[in-house]
Amino acid sequence: MDARKAERDKIHVPSISYLSMAKQESPCLPSASLRILKEHESKLRSLQRDKASSLTTSSSSRTCDSNQLLSTDGIMKMARARLHQSNYPLAQLIPVIRDDEFVDTRLGVPPERSEDFELALIFQFSVLKYSMGQLIRAGQLLGFCKYAAPANGSPVQRVVHYFAESLQERIGREMGMIPSEAAAHQNVMKHGHTDEILTNPQSAIIQCQQEIPFCHVSQFTAIETIMEHVESAKIIHLIDLGIRNGSHWPIMMQAVADRQEYPLELLKISAVGQSKEIIEEMGEILSSFAKTMNVPFTFKLVLSNIEDLKEEMFEIEPGEAVVVYSDTCLASLLPRPDRLESVILAMKNLKPCLMVICELEASTCSPTVMGRFNNALSLFCALFDCFEDCFDRDNPFRAMVEEHFFRKGIHNSMAAEDDKRVYCHEKIDFWRSFFARLGIIEIPMSDSALYQAKFLCQSNARWSSCTLDINGKSLILGWKGTPIKFLSAWKFS
């Protein structure tokens, strides 16, 4: 018994001796993450569980005050606070801000950030005018902000550019200058066919996943958590509510291939999606990978919108350990609470031993624009900061993801009409309340899983601003202290 407990407490570090061959067949495999673990395998295997306790300190302890002050979110909040505290009109306040001594000593903003702070102040002033119903003045100021903030400038400039663009569109529609249908068409023309970018293994989104910490940390922590709950299962059935490029499941395959005491009889993946061709291709890639590792494997496509899922769509056999995995899939159901509840109850009826959920830690479901504004602004400020630190400024992949995905997300929160918003986000507290009502219980991440998350963040110098925190029993991932994603595990009573 003690030997099994000691083995369970170890971190699952897969062997990757075959990776170079498998990667030639599948360019979307998580090679960067696997390389990290390979380089530090001996160190990880020697870790003790009690070392994970250091993770539970507040995220602010991992980020120095000056780092948070220099963050884009920090600049925006300081600008908003300064605007509300000042008795001066904006035209009189700007010249004072341009005084380096004033900026440095009285506001706490370094002189080199004075232009960003000035832009943030004008932007916040334009939003204030919008909130007061002064649409013409707000539109004029937003037009200036968009002109003064290039989409390839500093993180503050990029955030202001895309938010100003979306708010200008909303003002134009509210004033009757842009018909709703024309605005929607204009938005499609701007963003293009993002699905093609998302599903192409060579696309910018795949490249960005390799360079930012959130995918690595959430995927490895999720797999470690799953492994701890199916450690003795002979048949494991993984239900993926949105498989995308499938880069997380080779990690799982490596982990089960390393099992000694309980040989695996079958690993099953049921992948939910709407693109038959793309998901079947992903199934072939995963099957090839499983064959390389001698893991018995079957793959099934569940061709459906997530909102239409029914329990009978999944072929559950007696003796299977069923796990439901959802990575940023449930946000699309939040605008339709009845469908969200229906899907979760369908998953509950499958009697899974575990459900792992990863979503953005932001609240953007308010029915009012201003109710969504501050939360959406903080989220995207942190995302733009992360991309600034993890990529060179001229990196084409960074620019493409920001142009297509961040821009689309900002538009969805700020410009889209209520009935046209395709998704929104809620923080972990919302999900706790929602799941509790359905008899679904939050369970803690293990110490080994949490330490592995911390170790991954420390493995890359560019990820030093990634913050980890514990909220209740869930893991919160952030950047420079601003929460971005949460990872949580749940059991059904």
Side-chain angles (χ1 to χ4, degrees):
M1 180 70 179
D2 292 339
R4 285 203 301 268
K5 184 176 184 298
E7 183 68 24
R8 182 173 65 248
D9 292 342
K10 292 180 181 179
I11 293 177
H12 296 280
V13 183
S15 170
I16 60 169
S17 59
Y18 54 82
L19 180 62
S20 59
M21 178 180 65
K23 187 182 177 186
Q24 292 177 2
E25 301 174 0
S26 175
C28 66
L29 296 178
S31 57
S33 297
L34 297 175
R35 186 182 66 251
I36 290 169
L37 292 185
K38 177 63 175 178
E39 291 171 353
H40 302 280
E41 181 174 353
S42 60
K43 181 178 179 180
L44 275 170
R45 289 194 182 279
S46 66
L47 293 174
Q48 301 296 322
R49 277 186 76 176
D50 58 1
K51 291 183 179 181
S53 60
S54 62
L55 178 68
T56 60
T57 57
S58 170
S59 62
S60 60
S61 66
R62 295 196 56 207
T63 308
C64 65
D65 292 340
S66 60
N67 201 15
Q68 289 196 34
L69 179 65
L70 293 175
S71 73
T72 298
D73 189 34
I75 292 290
M76 286 292 179
K77 288 177 178 177
M78 291 179 65
R80 182 166 62 248
R82 181 62 186 169
L83 190 64
H84 287 288
Q85 293 170 0
S86 177
N87 294 322
Y88 297 99
L90 183 68
Q92 296 182 26
L93 189 59
I94 293 298
V96 179
I97 292 174
R98 290 173 177 164
D99 186 322
D100 284 351
E101 182 179 354
F102 178 86
V103 171
D104 190 28
T105 61
R106 294 179 59 186
L107 287 179
V109 180
E112 63 269 19
R113 300 302 300 274
S114 60
E115 290 186 4
D116 277 346
F117 184 72
E118 178 180 320
L119 177 63
L121 192 68
I122 298 172
F123 172 66
Q124 292 283 7
F125 186 70
S126 67
V127 175
L128 176 63
K129 290 299 182 182
Y130 172 80
S131 70
M132 298 168 62
Q134 299 179 22
L135 301 186
I136 294 177
R137 181 57 174 152
Q140 292 172 339
L141 289 167
L142 288 167
F144 170 80
C145 288
K146 183 181 174 183
Y147 173 79
N152 60 347
S154 70
V156 171
Q157 291 173 331
R158 304 202 299 270
V159 167
V160 168
H161 179 90
Y162 291 124
F163 269 86
E165 176 185 73
S166 289
L167 286 169
Q168 267 195 309
E169 180 181 318
R170 186 173 193 91
I171 289 172
R173 190 171 65 245
E174 290 182 9
M175 295 179 65
M177 299 169 60
I178 304 177
S180 297
E181 292 184 4
H185 176 71
Q186 182 184 45
N187 186 49
V188 170
M189 294 300 292
K190 286 175 182 175
H191 302 308
H193 300 289
T194 55
D195 287 345
E196 293 180 6
I197 298 172
L198 181 63
T199 54
N200 182 353
Q202 300 292 345
S203 69
I205 191 68
I206 302 297
Q207 296 296 327
C208 287
Q209 284 181 348
Q210 298 296 329
E211 300 299 329
I212 62 175
F214 304 116
C215 289
H216 297 276
V217 174
S218 63
Q219 287 179 2
F220 273 97
T221 308
I223 298 303
E224 172 72 14
T225 301
I226 292 171
M227 286 297 300
E228 291 165 358
H229 285 81
V230 298
E231 62 180 354
S232 61
K234 294 182 178 180
I235 303 176
I236 302 171
H237 189 165
L238 305 169
I239 296 176
D240 193 332
L241 298 184
I243 196 166
R244 295 185 175 87
N245 60 66
S247 63
H248 42 295
W249 294 131
I251 307 170
M252 178 79 179
M253 291 178 187
Q254 290 184 314
V256 296
D258 285 346
R259 289 202 323 190
Q260 304 275 330
E261 190 171 353
Y262 301 101
L264 186 72
E265 293 182 5
L266 183 63
L267 177 65
K268 299 171 61 177
I269 293 180
S270 294
V272 178
Q274 302 177 57
S275 176
K276 185 174 185 293
E277 180 180 353
I278 291 172
I279 298 180
E280 285 183 343
E281 180 181 357
M282 177 52 58
E284 292 176 2
I285 293 173
L286 291 174
S287 296
S288 175
F289 202 91
K291 185 177 180 179
T292 304
M293 288 178 287
N294 199 28
V295 171
F297 177 72
T298 63
F299 183 90
K300 178 189 175 183
L301 163 63
V302 179
L303 196 61
S304 172
N305 292 322
I306 187 173
E307 64 183 34
D308 297 326
L309 288 179
K310 302 287 190 298
E311 58 195 271
E312 55 267 23
M313 295 178 178
F314 302 91
E315 300 172 358
I316 307 299
E317 301 292 339
E320 292 182 350
V322 179
V323 175
V324 177
Y325 178 82
S326 173
D327 189 347
T328 56
C329 300
L330 300 180
S332 63
L333 298 175
L334 283 171
R336 298 175 294 283
D338 57 326
R339 300 310 305 157
L340 174 62
E341 182 169 333
S342 175
V343 169
I344 298 300
L345 289 176
M347 296 300 101
K348 183 178 181 180
N349 290 337
L350 298 176
K351 296 181 171 54
C353 65
L354 182 71
M355 179 170 67
V356 177
I357 291 178
C358 185
E359 290 287 343
L360 293 181
E361 176 69 358
S363 181
T364 62
C365 289
S366 171
T368 67
V369 178
M370 294 311 301
R372 300 190 294 268
F373 171 72
N374 287 331
N375 280 290
L377 182 64
S378 289
L379 171 65
F380 283 100
C381 281
L383 287 171
F384 276 95
D385 267 349
C386 176
F387 273 57
E388 177 74 5
D389 291 346
C390 292
F391 291 92
D392 295 332
R393 181 70 64 84
D394 59 354
N395 188 293
F397 298 125
R398 175 202 62 78
M400 188 176 295
V401 168
E402 291 180 359
E403 166 72 17
H404 287 271
F405 292 95
F406 292 2
R407 186 184 200 177
K408 184 177 182 179
I410 292 169
H411 182 276
N412 182 74
S413 295
M414 296 290 101
E417 296 179 274
D418 291 340
D419 60 345
K420 298 291 196 305
R421 296 180 65 217
V422 295
Y423 55 85
C424 59
H425 305 283
E426 288 287 7
K427 296 183 178 181
I428 183 61
D429 289 340
F430 165 86
W431 294 104
R432 271 194 200 109
S433 176
F434 176 77
F435 287 145
R437 184 167 58 83
L438 300 179
I440 304 173
I441 303 167
E442 183 181 16
I443 60 175
M445 303 284 171
S446 72
D447 287 347
S448 57
L450 294 175
Y451 190 83
Q452 182 169 290
K454 181 179 179 181
F455 179 81
L456 284 170
C457 286
Q458 295 174 341
S459 65
N460 187 325
R462 287 192 166 190
W463 297 354
S464 61
S465 292
C466 182
T467 54
L468 302 175
D469 198 6
I470 299 298
N471 182 316
K473 298 176 181 179
S474 296
L475 176 65
I476 308 295
L477 293 80
W479 196 260
K480 295 184 178 179
T482 300
I484 291 180
K485 294 180 75 173
F486 72 81
L487 180 69
S488 58
W490 307 84
K491 280 206 169 185
F492 296 82
S493 60

